[in-house]
Amino acid sequence: MKKFNILIVGGGSTWTPGLLKSLCVRKNSFPIGKLTMVDVNEERQAVIGEFAKILFQEEYPELEFEYTTDKQAAYAQELDFVFVQMRTGGYGMREQDEKIPLQHGVIGQETCGPGGFAYGLRSIKDMAQLVTDVREHNPKAWILNYTNPAAIVADALQQLFPNDKRILNICDQPENLLRSYGRLLERDPRSFDPVYFGLNHFGWFTHLYDESGNDLLPELREMILDGGFRPVDYEQRDQSWLDTYAMVEQTVRDFPDYLPNTYLQYYLYPDKVLKKLDPTHTRANEVMEGREKRVFEACREVADKGTTVGASVVHNDAHGEFILIVAESIAYNKGDNFIVIIPNNGIISNLPDDTMVEVAASLTANGPRPYAVGEIPVFYKGLIEGQYAYERLTVEAFIENSYQKALQALTLNRTVVSAQKAREVLDALIEANGDFWPELK
């Protein structure tokens, strides 16, 4: 059986230990010859890297492993898959993404509204450079981007690299929702055949079929309306995530046709959500004080003790397992169903072909084979068209260094609406982001 060479970009992420553990768990179904981690932050990655050495010594001794800050050397080796989980600007800039909008009375969130806009503009340059560098040495490697602000980045990469068919932008939130549905229904989520349409962080499940073709969505809707909704791993989640999932009940009550992506709360109920957000202590602070500390302390403890036995960090989480199942489907041409971000090209018949839609697809060695959605109702079409325009204008603002298009983008966003607030937030974000952003003129 072929052994694959994998590069993890963003090896210092707090999500990396779960991914590394998943590699061990799935070593028989997805064997790895060499694994490399690369990160621009040497200190963060060293903590994860030393943990990895001990984990692999105990559970995957045949694996060749290294970590480095030399991007060019990392990209130059022979690669089959590049897993991308970079965060341009780190958590320090994420904190600004969330707090600056809140200071101006609008939603401050990592991937939605002005925060997602700021993160997207920071990410395009690094993602484009990554693709260019990888392709110089590995024209056939699959680049799997699954943690960046995927909507804006996917649109940008499609425009910058229109002929590259081995870039896959995929978000783990639909997968998290399917796993949460599975726990609620007491069923295996991989057995579901979902029908989904929308944009990244802006979509809906319309059907959820079981192995016999029965639609479980009506039953699931009633369970949510009767008992609320929680994430599959709610015991491990911070309170802000529990609050986010709880809003699904309200959304289903108001718009019962479909089951929403959790991020829709920011667009459908911005005033209500805004009242709950603390301008001085956002989710970025929650992560830095919570998961960041827990993961790095646990990794350091493993390094100090020289063993992973009893370590709290080595659990096989959904985030890490998910991207490996994706890679397996591609590597072995399995054609498993996933919800992916791809050019519309008629999938949703009453949306423009160049919209980067998020839909269900069979994932093969030659890429996604999407399932047609057809025509969508006016309400959802209207919401998507406004969000699509915001995303496209954001990308054009980057490519054209256009202040005007950046202002138009934020004015269109449902979390902002006011042109005056859009200008105030934009000017503040320009100052905060400095050289991370292109110069907008």
Side-chain angles (χ1 to χ4, degrees), residues 119-138:
Y119 187 15
L121 283 183
R122 284 200 307 276
S123 300
I124 294 173
K125 180 181 178 181
D126 283 349
M127 278 300 300
Q129 189 63 55
L130 180 149
V131 173
T132 300
D133 291 343
V134 169
R135 287 295 176 249
E136 181 180 351
H137 303 282
N138 289 278

Side-chain angles (χ1 to χ4, degrees), residues 21 29 52 70 73 114 178 217 222 235 248 250 280 296 440-441:
K21 177 63 177 180
S29 61
D70 187 339
L178 288 170
L217 193 134
E222 293 308 310
E235 298 93 344
V248 169
Q250 177 69 58
T280 65
F296 280 94
L440 300 179
K441 304 172 184 177

Side-chain angles (χ1 to χ4, degrees), residues 186-204:
E186 298 182 342
R187 291 173 177 260
D188 177 6
R190 293 308 308 165
S191 71
F192 294 149
D193 177 15
V195 181
Y196 185 96
F197 74 86
L199 311 175
N200 179 236
H201 288 184
F202 204 94
W204 295 262

Side-chain angles (χ1 to χ4, degrees), residues 260-436:
N261 192 303
T262 51
Y263 286 91
L264 282 163
Q265 67 163 339
Y266 299 107
Y267 301 104
L268 298 177
Y269 307 97
D271 294 340
K272 183 174 183 178
V273 174
L274 184 61
K275 290 179 182 177
K276 297 180 179 179
L277 299 178
D278 182 350
T280 65
H281 193 272
T282 64
R283 186 175 283 175
N285 300 116
E286 192 176 68
V287 171
M288 288 187 284
E289 296 165 6
R291 190 178 76 233
E292 281 272 300
K293 285 187 175 181
R294 291 194 302 269
V295 169
F296 280 94
E297 285 174 2
C299 285
R300 289 188 182 98
E301 185 177 348
V302 167
D304 290 342
K305 291 183 176 180
T307 180
T308 63
V309 176
S312 60
V313 74
V314 286
H315 63 276
N316 178 29
D317 65 6
H319 184 88
E321 183 184 47
F322 155 71
I323 200 61
L324 292 182
I325 296 173
V326 168
E328 285 180 28
S329 189
I330 294 171
Y332 301 120
N333 198 31
K334 294 171 68 175
D336 291 341
N337 288 357
F338 293 94
I339 294 166
V340 299
I341 305 165
I342 55 177
N344 183 35
N345 290 333
I347 299 168
I348 302 174
S349 59
N350 53 342
L351 287 180
D353 283 346
D354 64 349
T355 310
M356 293 300 289
V357 296
E358 193 170 55
V359 294
S362 174
L363 195 50
T364 75
N366 295 304
R369 294 180 183 172
Y371 300 112
V373 172
E375 192 169 295
I376 59 174
V378 172
F379 174 69
Y380 302 95
K381 178 175 179 283
L383 286 171
I384 288 173
E385 285 177 330
Q387 183 72 359
Y388 155 73
Y390 147 75
E391 292 171 1
R392 175 54 55 87
L393 285 166
T394 300
V395 174
E396 291 179 357
F398 176 90
I399 293 173
E400 301 171 20
N401 295 86
S402 172
Y403 180 95
Q404 182 65 24
K405 288 194 172 180
L407 178 61
Q408 291 174 348
L410 284 178
T411 303
L412 274 176
N413 195 283
R414 283 183 57 87
T415 68
V416 181
V417 180
S418 163
Q420 179 178 336
K421 285 187 177 181
R423 185 180 291 277
E424 292 171 358
V425 173
L426 176 58
D427 290 344
L429 288 173
I430 288 173
E431 183 177 353
N433 279 273
D435 292 338
F436 282 121

